[in-house]
Structure formats: structure tokens, C-alpha cells
Amino acid sequence: MISFTAYKTKIENEVKIDKETVLPFFNSAEFTPEWISKSSLKYKEIHTIPDFSFINQNGKKVTNKTYKRKIYIANFFFVTCPGICPILEKNMSKIQDKYKNDSSVLLLSHTVMPTKDSVAVLKKYAIDNNIISDKWNLVTGDKKQLYNVARKGYFADDEFNKTKNTAAFIHSENFVLVDKKGRIRGVYNGTLGLETKRLIRHIEILKKED
């Protein structure tokens, strides 16, 4: 006779999920997509972004509550970055423009150089790049907390996953799509226009979820 647990697992595995219309979850730094139904035992164990508290370009506190019941895109940058960051900003700006009148979608950029990227520096960067403050937060704060949420929350440091070197500098081209419950639903190369378009398509899918 099949046990109740085995029967429940069998039923869960038989739940069909349309992978064309439902986004997966990402629960580890390997970014392996997992489609998990609400009836699955795994559903309550889905990874969520840990609590955080930072300061934005206007000197205001930004926490998880700021993004409660919001879809948002997170990334990591620093103001004086001469390489990928200007491209990341350009593509984030496209998302900002697309959703500037949609309060359900927000943006969140964390500096990885908080000793240099003060509130004043972030404010000037925001003005120079036409960043809408109530749509897009640029945040600074305690370096340890910034790096901790980057690595453990958004899985933003590929090298750390290999070396476990906490002193290493974080620099990632990823845009991370987070749903209304703080769960990672997509990871995209923020330097690529096609990936930005794919991200926008996925935002539209998320907007239809409960």
C-alpha cells in the first residue's frame, strides 16, 4: 500500500504547469529554474530575499517593506564604473520608461562601493541620468550588509560561490526579477538589449499572478 506522503508527492508531481505562461523560481546560486506548484511541499520553502535596510539617493530608508507586494528588478553597480555599469543604467532606464506610470513595478540598484557612493553622489547620479525617485531607488549603506544581501539574497557573486572569499569585490551584470512575495523569478544579462526585452515580457507574466 502506498503511503500518504508518497501519494501526496505523486499527486504534486502530476500537477501540470504551463512553462510558457508561468515563470520558474530560483532557489540557489546555480540559477537552476524550478517550476513549483502551490500544492507542492516545496512551495513554502522557496527562497526569498532576506530583510534589508539601506538609504536611497534622497536620504530615505529603503527596506523590504518598500517593495512589499511589488514586482521589482534589482542589480548591483557603482557610480564610477567605466565598464558595464553605463550599459546597465541604459537598460534599466528602458525599464523605468516602460513602467513609469505603473506603480506595481519598481527598480532597485545597490552600490558595491558604499565608501565612495554616498547619498550625495547617488543623488547627482540620479539627476544626471533622469532617474525617477519614486520608481527607482539607488541605495547605499553598510558594506557588509550590502554584500551579504548580494550573495545570499540575490546570488549576485559568481566568484564567491567558487572561492568563498568574503573580501572579494562584487561586480555582476545580472538583473534579478523579484515577484510580489520577494522570490526570484528570473535572471538576465543586463548588458544585452534582447535580455532586457525578455525581462519586460516576464514582468508582464508576473503581473498576471495572484
Side-chain angles (χ1 to χ4, degrees):
M1 180 182 292
I2 187 171
S3 69
F4 174 76
T5 300
Y7 175 76
K8 185 174 176 59
T9 301
K10 180 175 183 295
I11 294 299
E12 289 168 354
N13 290 339
E14 290 176 352
V15 173
K16 299 297 183 182
I17 297 176
D18 184 352
K19 296 181 180 181
E20 294 297 318
T21 60
V22 177
L23 298 182
F25 298 95
F26 295 85
N27 294 311
S28 70
E30 285 72 34
F31 289 125
T32 302
E34 298 181 62
W35 280 267
I36 303 172
S37 70
K38 290 183 178 180
S39 62
S40 171
L41 294 173
K42 292 182 178 180
Y43 191 77
K44 292 183 179 180
E45 299 175 0
I46 293 171
H47 172 79
T48 58
I49 305 303
D51 289 345
F52 60 81
S53 180
F54 301 119
I55 303 297
N56 75 0
Q57 66 267 34
N58 293 320
K60 295 181 179 180
K61 183 183 291 187
V62 173
T63 71
N64 301 71
K65 291 183 179 179
T66 309
Y67 291 87
K68 186 176 182 180
R69 299 300 300 169
K70 303 290 185 181
I71 294 167
Y72 74 95
I73 301 91
N75 79 316
F76 294 84
F77 83 116
F78 61 102
V79 168
T80 56
C81 165
I84 66 172
C85 293
I87 305 172
L88 298 179
E89 184 278 322
K90 178 182 177 182
N91 286 327
M92 274 289 229
S93 289
K94 290 179 181 177
I95 300 169
Q96 173 185 253
D97 293 344
K98 170 73 175 178
Y99 295 101
K100 63 183 178 181
N101 297 317
D102 187 341
S103 62
S104 69
V105 180
L106 300 177
L107 308 177
L108 176 59
S109 293
H110 312 71
T111 180
V112 293
M113 290 187 68
T115 55
K116 292 187 176 181
D117 289 345
S118 63
V119 170
V121 169
L122 293 180
K123 180 67 173 179
K124 184 178 185 304
Y125 182 86
I127 293 171
D128 290 346
N129 290 285
N130 299 310
I131 287 171
I132 303 170
S133 292
D134 59 1
K135 172 63 61 178
W136 184 353
N137 286 300
L138 311 175
V139 295
T140 188
D142 177 73
K143 182 178 179 179
K144 184 176 180 180
Q145 188 186 13
L146 282 162
Y147 275 51
N148 187 62
V149 78
R151 288 169 174 149
K152 296 182 179 180
Y154 300 98
F155 309 126
D157 188 359
D158 293 336
E159 287 303 311
F160 177 73
N161 298 324
K162 302 171 185 175
T163 66
K164 304 302 179 185
N165 179 12
T166 58
F169 182 70
I170 292 177
H171 206 194
S172 171
E173 73 276 8
N174 287 344
F175 286 169
V176 180
L177 177 61
V178 182
D179 69 15
K180 295 177 182 179
K181 296 181 179 179
R183 304 169 301 191
I184 297 175
R185 305 301 296 276
V187 184
Y188 314 82
N189 186 328
T191 68
L192 301 177
L194 284 176
E195 284 282 274
T196 304
K197 290 179 180 178
R198 184 168 73 94
L199 169 53
I200 289 172
R201 289 199 303 272
H202 288 180
I203 290 172
E204 292 303 308
I205 290 174
L206 272 191
K207 287 174 66 177
K208 297 175 183 177
E209 284 193 359
D210 296 332

